[in-house]
Amino acid sequence: MGLLSIIRKIKRKEKEMRILMVGLDNSGKTTIVLKINGEDTSVISPTLGFNIKTINYQKYILNIWDVGGQKTIRSYWRNYFEQTDGLVWVVDSSDLRRLDDCKHELDNLLKEERLSGASLLIFANKQDIQGALSPEEIAKVLNLDAMDKTRHWRIVGCSAYTGEGLLEGFDWLVQDIASRIYMLD
């Protein structure tokens, strides 16, 4: 029995999932994590390294790796790819100037072999801001229809500020991962 199957067995017993949250800086990753955990979101500073948050969600334990998105630290993202079950890509739907940058970084991530099996949730965040693009428009800009057909993905409009859409997104992600890892027992 290989190490991987031992790890899988342990994970299966613990019902743990490893979620990687990435996106450009100021897209709302940390706010989403705090909001979903019922924590105060009024004072948040940019994430310069990463935060790990362990959250009980439904009957699972989510280990969420919230990684900073500044240009200077994006090259370190690859240090966090190992054993990622779910990938959450957060887009600031109101930051129209950086959507090309956003698409470029997501494309790079999706080329990563180590992330090829991960379920992908795209949060089109900041839907509460006037002038924000809709999830459908974001999907078009990111060219999601061209994605590898084997990849499980979904895009959900949300507001980290109001909490709208967050549960819908996480429910989908957790169910999708569970159906692959735990065969939904």
Side-chain angles (χ1 to χ4, degrees), residues 7-164:
I7 290 171
R8 280 223 171 88
K9 271 210 170 69
I10 293 170
K11 269 176 101 164
R12 199 168 289 136
K13 203 173 84 220
E14 295 292 330
K15 291 266 201 287
E16 281 194 36
M17 296 178 179
R18 181 181 159 116
I19 314 275
L20 180 62
M21 292 213 43
V22 277
L24 303 188
D25 47 304
N26 197 38
S27 57
K29 299 177 292 295
T30 303
T31 309
I32 287 172
V33 175
L34 294 176
K35 191 77 174 179
I36 209 141
N37 204 30
E39 292 178 62
D40 178 23
T41 56
S42 56
V43 189
I44 295 174
S45 51
T47 305
L48 297 174
F50 63 92
N51 301 311
I52 303 175
K53 192 58 99 179
T54 300
I55 295 178
N56 289 313
Y57 194 88
Q58 293 165 1
K59 53 183 196 236
Y60 302 100
I61 299 166
L62 308 186
N63 294 310
I64 302 180
W65 293 67
D66 165 21
V67 183
Q70 288 89 340
K71 222 181 181 94
T72 49
I73 51 184
R74 290 177 206 162
S75 55
Y76 296 108
W77 283 354
R78 60 175 50 92
N79 298 336
Y80 304 99
F81 293 166
E82 227 44 70
Q83 304 211 318
T84 295
D85 299 312
L87 189 59
V88 180
W89 180 259
V90 184
V91 180
D92 176 345
S93 308
S94 71
D95 188 358
L96 309 184
R97 284 198 332 265
R98 291 205 300 166
L99 284 174
D100 283 347
D101 197 12
C102 181
K103 179 187 184 324
H104 170 74
E105 294 291 357
L106 178 61
D107 287 347
N108 284 343
L109 271 189
L110 297 179
K111 287 183 192 126
E112 285 287 340
E113 188 60 44
R114 286 177 294 170
L115 295 174
S116 62
S119 305
L120 171 66
L121 168 64
I122 296 154
F123 268 137
N125 190 22
K126 307 197 184 181
Q127 289 297 310
D128 53 308
I129 294 180
Q130 219 175 348
L133 295 185
S134 70
E136 295 73 33
E137 291 169 311
I138 295 287
K140 224 176 239 119
V141 172
L142 298 180
N143 198 15
L144 297 181
D145 286 337
M147 206 179 319
D148 172 6
K149 295 299 172 232
T150 60
R151 164 95 53 194
H152 291 206
W153 66 273
R154 172 165 298 183
I155 184 165
V156 175
C158 74
S159 162
Y161 178 70
T162 66
E164 192 183 345

